[in-house]
Amino acid sequence: MSGINYTMIPLFVALPLTVSFLIMLLGNRVRWISDMLCTVVALALCLLSFYAVGVASGSGPLVYRMGGWLPPAGICLVLDSLSVFMLVIVNVITLIVTIYAINYMEQYTAKSKFYALFLLMLAGMNGVIVTGDMFNLFVFLEIGSIASYGLVAFGTEEEELEASFKYMIMGSIAGLFILLGIGLLYSYTSTLNMADMALVVSEKSGSKLIGFVSVLFLVGFGLKGALFPFHWWLPDAHPSAPAPISAMLSGLLIKALGVYALIRVFFSVLGATAFLPVAMVLGTMSMVIGVFLAVGQWDFKRLLAYHSISQVGYIMLGIGLGTPLGILGGLFHLFNHSMFKSLLFLNSGAVDYATGSRNLKELGGLRERMPVSASTSMVASMSIAGLPPFNGFWSKLIIIIACVDAGHPVYAAWAVVASIMTLASFMKVQKYVFFGELKEKFNAIKEVPFAMQFSMVFLAAICFLGGLLLVPAVSGDFLQSAADTVANGTEYAKMVFQSLQ
Amino acid sequence: MNKEPGMTVIVKTVTRLTVGIILMYGIYIVMHGHLSPGGGFAGGVIIALSFVHLMLAYGKEVAFKKLSMPVASVLESMGAILFISVAFLGLVGGYFFFHTLGKGEPFSLLSAYMVLFSNIAISLKVGCGLFLVLITIALAGKEIKK
């Protein structure tokens, strides 16, 4: 039961935690060490997550017994295809954002504290993804959230503190809903292990409690994931953070803590099909309302934040269809959105770094002075708007086809409308920031440093090539098997107990 | 009137008598975490409260002489690193957090070393962390009043 394949599973949580505290200890004393340690650990985790793809596809889910205790008594970590899929997304983006932050965070003091919180947030996200225990999920959720409250307020200006406070209140309320749900579920099933819980729930069918718990989880995880009626903290919180953190929050945190946890709990544990139509309706509403709110924004990052709400709507619409194609589309859009939304936030950070402004009305003509940022943001804009051949096109196409296929043409129509509005609002971004006349006061600006350019170009390449994930030879072990894991629902429990024997 | 910082002479005298006992009691709770109720968290809180007690009675300068903020910060990080090292030590036995260093015996202080070390690590983290939190609140409150 040991060996590298198993031992790597707790490392996804333990490594960032260890390095985070090491940075707290050493970061103030040695200047370069926090940059170096954070980059090294991000690179190591990125490679480990790639290695995990091969491992998980070979032999079904791997179950790691923490401390050697056998589940359901002990806590276990489960590495199945869905977890691996999320781990790759999280750790790739983290690596790129870390490289970007080396230069970007020079503007702030206390860079080592930034890295410590950053790694704590990463540990929280990885923990939520690999855990197989319900209460453990809550603990990691709070680790990730609390680190992100600190990071949103990192600039400690009045506006940032206000956004962070609002975010903290909403996050705590979400945490309370989730904790109450877990408590009720624990009293109902007498177990906290997810696989065991799934077995007990499927045996004791017909209780009204499951419906109540589902609502609690929908509100809790919906708040974390900024689904429509619970979305309004996001446009304040995400733009207030430093750009690398905005990229992490919008690209990863709302997905790992919100969407992934929602999928895991509803599909793998509760097996609740009644939730699917609700997810579709809420998804469509956030998709449309998010994008309509976004079009009118003049703050670059705030506009992007509203688009996060809209794109999470696409993901939930795809997942909510419940058909294999819909789930595939939803997960694929999750991957794509992580890539292009992180890239867009990094672009906005580059513009902010060079000009000191995020107001669309003040900017203009930056294409001449910042060719790399302009081209990469063009790629990202076309991806998010769903223009072929970029990755966003393929996932939106699959979601729309899946809607029509499942007999919901109205939802498909709304998805098209939201996509056209997305295109409109990103044409606005391109026109006001990168095209048009260069203002005189920006004559002296320069392109951002190399590390920042490198991360943006890397993400743009993924946006360009992302469509290749649909090719069966590429996606078989990665995207397709993750979608199968979700579609199989409570088969999860059987697979976990099988691999324990 | 008493110009020096802190509270009245009665409080100071009582504090002088009790603060050491409180600290000792905290350490006792930590060390006997694997034998009796309590453990790292509860003991850590009591240890922190002994320093906070000192701060309330004598003013923060006296408390800082015993435990300054940089030292508390380092100890806090050390606690976290010690705890995760204990977890990594478990890998020797094959699992993360595996209990490797001997089993516990009833009523024997020096047994179950993994639990003992975990408790000490947690008490460092909790004690110093709580002390820093309370100090920060006290200092921030002063600044706002000014």
Side-chain angles (χ1 to χ4, degrees), chain A residues 44-383:
Chain A
L45 287 176
C46 188
L47 295 177
L48 263 183
S49 70
F50 284 132
Y51 179 69
V53 175
V55 173
S57 68
S59 58
L62 299 187
V63 182
Y64 190 84
R65 296 182 261 159
M66 287 295 261
W69 298 95
L70 199 67
I75 291 172
C76 64
L77 304 180
V78 179
L79 194 76
D80 65 357
S81 309
L82 181 60
S83 312
V84 168
F85 178 73
M86 293 298 297
L87 278 178
V88 169
I89 297 175
V90 167
N91 291 300
V92 167
I93 299 273
T94 305
L95 175 64
I96 293 167
V97 167
T98 313
I99 294 171
Y100 184 91
I102 294 172
N103 282 127
Y104 186 83
M105 291 310 289
E106 290 295 337
Q107 304 174 72
Y108 292 81
T109 51
K111 202 175 171 191
S112 64
K113 289 203 173 65
F114 164 80
Y115 280 123
L117 281 172
F118 182 84
L119 287 173
L120 268 184
M121 189 166 87
L122 175 64
M125 285 192 287
N126 278 345
V128 165
I129 292 165
V130 294
T131 188
D133 186 274
M134 208 63 176
F135 193 74
N136 221 220
L137 182 127
F138 173 73
V139 171
F140 284 124
L141 199 97
E142 287 295 298
I143 292 178
S145 303
I146 289 171
S148 72
Y149 307 150
L151 285 167
V152 166
F154 200 75
T156 59
E157 298 291 326
E158 196 177 335
E159 186 190 322
E160 286 151 1
L161 290 174
E162 188 201 328
S164 172
F165 190 72
K166 195 189 271 185
Y167 180 29
M168 189 174 76
I169 299 286
M170 295 319 294
S172 313
I173 291 173
L176 278 178
F177 272 103
I178 295 165
L179 187 61
L180 184 58
I182 292 173
L184 287 174
L185 212 51
Y186 180 44
S187 74
Y188 179 66
T189 60
S190 313
T191 176
L192 279 171
N193 185 283
M194 284 188 196
D196 202 31
M197 214 175 228
L199 283 185
V200 177
V201 167
S202 64
E203 278 164 16
K204 279 188 178 182
S205 59
S207 166
K208 287 204 171 68
L209 187 80
I210 296 298
F212 184 56
V213 168
S214 304
V215 173
L216 290 178
F217 281 144
L218 190 67
V219 175
F221 294 129
L223 268 166
K224 293 279 183 199
L227 211 56
F228 157 62
F230 321 111
H231 66 278
W232 45 269
W233 55 267
L234 187 142
D236 284 328
H238 287 196
S240 301
I245 295 306
S246 303
M248 289 285 281
L249 293 177
S250 258
L252 302 177
L253 197 80
I254 57 172
K255 302 201 182 60
L257 265 52
V259 177
Y260 167 82
L262 201 69
I263 294 174
R264 181 60 94 198
V265 168
F266 277 101
F267 281 87
S268 302
V269 178
L270 298 178
T273 46
F275 134 87
L276 294 178
V278 181
M280 272 173 77
V281 172
L282 292 186
T284 311
M285 286 173 89
S286 25
M287 188 166 83
V288 176
I289 291 170
V291 79
F292 271 93
L293 289 170
V295 173
Q297 298 301 322
W298 288 98
D299 181 326
F300 195 169
K301 284 172 90 175
R302 207 174 164 82
L303 187 145
L304 297 180
Y306 274 112
H307 275 291
S308 291
I309 300 167
S310 168
Q311 303 295 318
V312 165
Y314 273 101
I315 298 168
M316 288 314 294
L317 173 62
I319 302 284
L321 283 170
T323 57
L325 192 64
I327 291 169
L328 180 79
L331 287 181
F332 189 32
H333 199 66
L334 197 158
F335 175 86
N336 292 339
H337 179 241
S338 301
M339 300 302 159
F340 55 63
K341 187 48 68 66
S342 303
L343 176 53
L344 281 166
F345 269 113
L346 296 187
N347 288 141
S348 77
V351 170
D352 196 6
Y353 185 88
T355 66
S357 170
R358 334 193 289 230
N359 189 340
L360 296 185
K361 284 177 181 162
E362 283 178 11
L363 298 164
L366 297 182
R367 175 163 280 278
E368 299 165 28
R369 294 275 182 259
M370 305 172 69
V372 176
S373 307
S375 328
T376 49
S377 94
M378 189 62 144
V379 171
S381 299
M382 289 199 280
S383 299

Side-chain angles (χ1 to χ4, degrees), chain A residues 436-471:
Chain A
E437 297 241 327
L438 186 66
K439 300 266 166 69
E440 251 180 46
K441 61 176 173 178
F442 295 138
N443 266 334
I445 62 165
K446 281 183 290 189
E447 181 60 282
V448 291
F450 175 74
M452 286 163 76
Q453 288 184 31
F454 171 79
S455 0
M456 289 191 288
V457 170
F458 195 92
L459 275 176
I462 298 180
C463 283
F464 190 69
L465 300 173
L468 285 179
L469 269 185
L470 283 181
V471 180

